[in-house]
Amino acid sequence: MTSLPFVFLLATLASFVVAKESVRRGLQENGNPNWKWDDLRFVTFGGSRTCGVGLPEDIREDATFSGLLNHADNKSVCGSSMPEYPALCLHSLIGEDSIYDVIVLEFLRADKDGAMFDLTRHLRTRFPHAIIIYLDYWFPNEFSYIPEDNKSFRQYYEEHRDPSNDDFQTEVLDGTNEEDWAHQFYDRGVLQEAADEFNAFVLAFPEVESHPIETVQQFGTLFGNDMEHFNRRGHAWIRDKIIELLSSLNYDNSRSVTNPFPSMDYCEIFYTNGLCTLRTNMTIKPFQVEGASKKYALEVRTGQDTIDIYNTFGQDTAYLYLSYMATGPEAHYTPKTLVQVFNDSGHSTANYVIDSQLQLHDVDEHVEVVVNYKIGPVSPGESTVRFTFLDTEEKQQPESSGMLRIVGLILSQNQFSEQVISDF
């Protein structure tokens, strides 16, 4: 028998699912009569949900909430579940000539270093009249089942669902009690505080503290079986919530202007396309990551490898981050490498030891990912980045153990935590 929460959710979804033509009419009728839906220029910043992870690859680009808005001028900047990367690289990501009317930010609430504030401040400074929208969401896999050693929601669900049915099965939670479920709460005040400060909007999922089982039963249908990423229904639901908000606003996009960027950056990621313009004595080479398409990297091998960089930001100090490949639990690259930055006078401005071995616990299978770490300050003008291996001991490892793979570089006037999270 269909449960009451599921019927309620279907009714809720039905109230938001509207034909695009009626949406366009609504935007014109409810807002500025001269405002046309196709005039809006969208940009979305976010992580794996913005990218459509979990959706079939052949429909992914069009089926995400950003793709469903269906504008030629839409842009999705995805690759980070946290706001640090776009806050460091805003100019590089969107360019000098772009102008946007609607900006959507899809990041987890767990922002501890002020990057959400900084990113929003930079966007509001650059686009003073744009509509800025935060998506405030949670996902079922944030829950754990206390009676079975805090088993993740995903694992509990997989063990109790009917595998022949891909729809969310609300009855899986029947028989459990509210106190059986623990939830990792994030401070939604991070988003609301930023929204209040910069005249933005928050589109929020309902909080789950009071009635976790009922709330998950209602909104679990928006997620795929990994219980973290939106399914097609979830992306459509997000799209329709954005449309509902825009329909209520008397927005005149003829007022859209741009101000100068409040800070500058130079960010280059050649991991996926092999397009590297850095001045270096290394060459870009392809390599393979298990389960992924061909990737590209600069290979540090000799101990004499360098990259020349240029801080063009006037007299201001810049900050260098390097993106490189790391593996775990075993090291498949040279584990420790000293990175030094020397200015044009030969003085060292930064020394940092990067570790390409991931410190993983209770993980047996091989993991290989891109990590981004702050190397340190860079003086105005020219500087040289030098690499020195600190671990040269011969070991029975793959051929790649005698090198380090660099897949990108960030040079920014901003700095945040030592590590910047990305989903490249």
Side-chain angles (χ1 to χ4, degrees):
M1 185 173 70
T2 305
S3 63
L4 180 61
F6 183 66
V7 173
F8 173 80
L9 176 59
L10 290 179
T12 303
L13 289 171
S15 71
F16 289 118
V17 176
V18 290
K20 182 160 290 184
E21 285 306 314
S22 68
V23 170
R24 295 183 181 186
R25 288 196 299 272
L27 287 172
Q28 292 173 299
E29 293 168 3
N30 298 334
N32 188 315
N34 298 317
W35 182 30
K36 296 180 180 179
W37 170 257
D38 288 325
D39 289 342
L40 291 180
R41 294 155 293 193
F42 286 78
V43 62
T44 302
F45 295 87
S48 54
R49 292 160 192 82
T50 294
C51 295
V53 169
L55 296 175
E57 285 196 23
D58 59 333
I59 65 166
R60 183 173 296 174
E61 184 175 351
D62 295 326
T64 64
F65 64 85
S66 178
L68 289 170
L69 293 169
N70 198 24
H71 286 267
D73 291 327
N74 273 9
K75 181 178 178 66
S76 292
V77 181
C78 57
S80 178
S81 57
M82 301 296 286
E84 286 89 344
Y85 184 77
L88 288 169
C89 297
L90 183 61
H91 182 269
S92 297
L93 289 171
I94 64 176
E96 188 67 37
D97 299 326
S98 57
I99 182 169
Y100 297 105
D101 307 301
V102 182
I103 301 168
V104 182
L105 303 177
E106 177 264 308
F107 296 111
L108 298 175
R109 301 177 191 171
D111 175 35
K112 299 180 175 62
D113 54 21
M116 191 82 77
F117 239 68
D118 275 17
L119 174 59
T120 313
R121 181 173 64 251
H122 294 167
L123 288 167
R124 176 55 74 208
T125 300
R126 177 64 173 171
F127 306 109
H129 300 303
I131 300 170
I132 299 178
I133 302 171
Y134 295 104
L135 300 184
D136 181 13
Y137 62 90
W138 45 264
F139 48 84
N141 206 42
E142 291 176 353
F143 286 86
S144 58
Y145 190 57
I146 298 172
E148 297 182 13
D149 295 327
N150 287 310
K151 181 180 294 182
S152 72
F153 185 92
R154 180 194 296 126
Q155 183 178 354
Y156 180 89
Y157 182 79
E158 280 297 318
E159 292 174 356
H160 292 81
R161 76 182 185 95
D162 176 2
S164 66
N165 181 6
D166 282 337
D167 290 334
F168 183 76
Q169 299 163 35
T170 59
E171 63 273 14
V172 164
L173 297 176
D174 292 346
T176 67
N177 300 312
E178 305 281 356
E179 57 270 18
D180 292 339
W181 293 98
H183 182 257
Q184 181 181 358
F185 294 106
Y186 294 108
D187 181 10
R188 79 185 312 168
V190 169
L191 297 183
Q192 192 59 58
E193 185 179 356
D196 293 342
E197 178 74 18
F198 300 110
N199 191 27
F201 298 89
V202 178
L203 291 182
F205 274 29
E207 285 294 1
V208 296
E209 289 92 333
S210 301
H211 305 287
I213 293 178
E214 180 180 347
T215 307
V216 172
Q217 286 178 322
Q218 289 177 5
F219 286 88
T221 58
L222 303 182
F223 295 89
N225 286 335
D226 70 353
M227 293 297 135
E228 292 191 5
H229 294 95
F230 301 127
N231 57 22
R232 295 188 70 173
R233 180 185 286 132
H235 281 281
W237 191 86
I238 295 294
R239 182 271 316 268
D240 294 332
K241 291 289 284 184
I242 292 172
I243 287 173
E244 182 186 273
L245 171 62
L246 297 178
S247 298
S248 69
L249 301 176
N250 186 25
Y251 179 72
D252 181 1
N253 74 331
S254 66
R255 296 172 60 235
S256 293
V257 297
T258 58
N259 290 328
F261 280 93
S263 65
M264 298 300 292
D265 56 76
Y266 178 82
C267 302
E268 187 167 321
I269 299 295
F270 35 87
Y271 176 60
T272 57
N273 58 24
L275 300 177
C276 176
T277 64
L278 299 176
R279 293 183 298 170
T280 176
N281 60 357
M282 295 176 280
T283 56
I284 193 85
K285 293 186 178 181
F287 69 101
Q288 197 68 45
V289 174
E290 185 178 351
S293 58
K294 184 185 297 183
K295 305 301 182 184
Y296 300 87
L298 295 174
E299 294 185 352
V300 179
R301 284 184 176 272
T302 68
Q304 303 298 319
D305 301 302
T306 62
I307 299 174
D308 295 326
I309 56 177
Y310 199 85
N311 174 0
T312 61
F313 312 142
Q315 296 303 307
D316 293 336
T317 296
Y319 299 92
L320 174 67
Y321 289 75
L322 285 179
S323 305
Y324 58 94
M325 301 305 300
T327 61
E330 296 87 15
H332 280 214
Y333 299 102
T334 298
K336 295 187 184 299
T337 305
L338 173 64
V339 183
Q340 297 172 287
V341 180
F342 296 91
N343 62 21
D344 56 3
S345 299
H347 296 120
S348 174
T349 62
N351 294 273
Y352 187 82
V353 176
I354 59 178
D355 190 343
S356 65
Q357 183 172 8
L358 299 170
Q359 302 305 310
L360 302 175
H361 303 285
D362 301 321
V363 175
D364 295 326
E365 65 270 16
H366 174 70
V367 176
E368 184 168 6
V369 295
V370 177
V371 295
N372 315 274
Y373 274 89
K374 181 170 62 178
I375 305 304
V378 178
S379 302
E382 289 194 55
S383 291
T384 299
V385 184
R386 297 179 185 172
F387 301 88
T388 305
F389 291 153
L390 299 181
D391 189 340
T392 58
E393 179 183 351
E394 292 294 330
K395 297 180 180 179
Q396 295 298 317
Q397 296 287 358
E399 180 185 356
S400 59
S401 64
M403 67 169 155
L404 176 72
R405 283 183 169 136
I406 304 295
V407 299
L409 176 149
I410 299 169
L411 193 64
S412 178
Q413 288 183 281
N414 302 306
Q415 62 171 329
F416 298 108
S417 54
E418 181 182 13
Q419 182 180 15
V420 172
I421 304 298
S422 66
D423 302 316
F424 301 122

